[in-house]
Amino acid sequence: MASSTTRLFETRVLSLIAVAIVINIVGNQINDLVRLPIFLDSIGTVLVGVLAGPLAGGVTGLLTNLILGLIVSPVAAAFAPVAIVIGVVAGLMARAGWFRTWWQAAVTGVVIAAALTLVAVPIRIYMFGGVTGSGADFIVGYLSSVGQTLFSSVALTVFGTNVADKVITALIVWALVRQLPQRLTAGYGHLQYSRA
Amino acid sequence: MRSWSIHRPGSSALHRANPLTKLAALLLLAALLFVLPWPGAWAGTLLLLTAAFGLHIGGVVLRRYLVLATPFLIAVFIFHGLIVDRPDRMPLAAFLSYSQEGLTYAAVLGGRISLMLAGSLLFVATTHPAALLRSLDVARMPPGLSFLLASPLLLIDEFTKRAGAIRDAQQARGMRVNTFSDRLRALRLLTLPLVTLALADAQERSGVLNARAFRAFPRRAVLSPPPDTALERRLRHALVAASVLLVGCALWLR
């Protein structure tokens, strides 16, 4: 038999990434029903970061946005670096033990929002002129019209609209990993860092 | 819940083209954005949307285009034309003023996004995800990578139905979304079962993949590869080379 494929991820992690990408995409539809002012499009990315580490989390984010770019809108593909940051930061925070309690998960959500703001703002300004066709554009417009610069309008908007979303996402993932049966989590070694 | 797929089967030249050739064409389209003036980008959008009607997929492509492009186009024209303060602002009506420079900038951004959106919708409407997966395998892509790129496309509609079933079940049990706290509770009631099911699904899939020795060999053999010809392969190479050349020239001359 030929030598096996050089493996960056085990098959179990590959399957996890594949379903996590779908959770990210479908999560947005769940939000259509509950009508909360959040995106809910990175539960899968954060979950993979916690279960399988920052690299797997980053890959999940990257592929989610590339696939969304292909089937929904190229705008999503342009924000792929932001999705990578979400997965990587979630994985790093989990490794540092910041997913053990609910308040740690909430702080992790804030850290993820701050990190993604650093990457999202230049993309939003230089590729899209500050707007993307979402509801957040109203806030950018308002802040610009009251005298804020384009950079600060976009930075405040991106952080402000993401912080609630990422805190809720991190809390959902925290609640989830506590409730998951052992048979579903056995084999995800990275989860040991998030066990209380 | 809505279906994500806009793929429509057909027998047109674009339907029959190898998915990798279409991806290479999409790459060229992205490279063209670096050099096309904004009227060219809008003309290209119109051309692609017209071509979609010629391929009998015009309705679905145009609907999706309008749903996705309209909010962005409205936002970008209002924001840059009417809100952002620029030196050439002129009074429009009442307290409103506009900037010609801002409107031109909005036309540039809108044209770019429109062209890429029209191109990617044509690709998705004429390419079944399974055909993309097979063509990636034929191109000797590692099976893990082609699995990651294509399997989510095959799973989206199934998971969307699952999410709909969970929603119906929870509503039948009395889930309400009237107040803010109701909605937060509903969020938990909807996401936890969906993600738990997804993790069980991932475990089952990895078991099946391992049982089939999914990655025993570095490359997979494909029983029914998508049609590909020497001419198409040469065309792909030319499209990729032209894309690199265009981006290089655009950066060099900037």
Side-chain angles (χ1 to χ4, degrees), chain A residues 53-95:
Chain A
L55 184 58
V59 168
T60 308
L62 170 70
L63 292 176
T64 298
N65 279 46
L66 290 185
I67 289 171
L68 277 174
L70 208 56
I71 64 171
V72 178
S73 167
V75 172
F79 284 95
V82 178
I84 295 174
V85 166
I86 293 170
V88 169
V89 173
L92 291 174
M93 290 297 283
R95 184 170 293 176

Side-chain angles (χ1 to χ4, degrees), chain A residues 9 29 34 70 72 129 183, chain B residues 4 68 80 124 183 203 215:
Chain A
F9 301 120
Q29 291 202 4
V34 295
L70 208 56
V72 178
R183 66 182 171 80
Chain B
W4 289 88
L68 297 173
H80 287 286
V124 179
R183 290 176 193 180
Q203 195 175 44
R215 294 198 289 178

Side-chain angles (χ1 to χ4, degrees), chain A residues 61-62 65-66 73-86 115-133 137 140 150-151 154-155 158 162, chain B residues 72 76 79-80 105 109 112-113:
Chain A
L62 170 70
N65 279 46
L66 290 185
S73 167
V75 172
F79 284 95
V82 178
I84 295 174
V85 166
I86 293 170
L116 78 84
T117 301
L118 294 175
V119 184
V121 171
I123 294 174
R124 201 170 162 125
I125 289 176
Y126 295 112
M127 290 187 75
F128 301 99
V131 292
T132 56
D137 295 343
V140 176
L150 180 61
F151 184 88
V154 173
V158 169
N162 271 284
Chain B
F72 174 74
V76 83
F79 185 67
H80 287 286
Y105 184 53
L109 292 171
R112 284 180 188 166
I113 297 298

Side-chain angles (χ1 to χ4, degrees), chain A residues 12-84:
Chain A
R12 165 188 285 271
V13 176
L14 279 186
S15 300
L16 174 69
I17 293 174
V19 298
I21 291 167
V22 183
I23 291 169
N24 285 340
I25 295 169
V26 175
N28 199 264
Q29 291 202 4
I30 287 178
N31 201 34
D32 288 348
L33 176 71
V34 295
R35 298 194 304 275
L36 286 168
I38 53 177
F39 308 113
L40 218 63
D41 57 357
S42 48
I43 292 177
T45 305
V46 175
L47 181 69
V48 174
V50 172
L51 292 179
L55 184 58
V59 168
T60 308
L62 170 70
L63 292 176
T64 298
N65 279 46
L66 290 185
I67 289 171
L68 277 174
L70 208 56
I71 64 171
V72 178
S73 167
V75 172
F79 284 95
V82 178
I84 295 174

Side-chain angles (χ1 to χ4, degrees), chain B residues 9-25:
Chain B
S11 56
S12 70
L14 199 58
H15 280 92
R16 281 183 278 115
N18 188 283
L20 296 181
T21 309
K22 289 185 262 188
L23 272 182

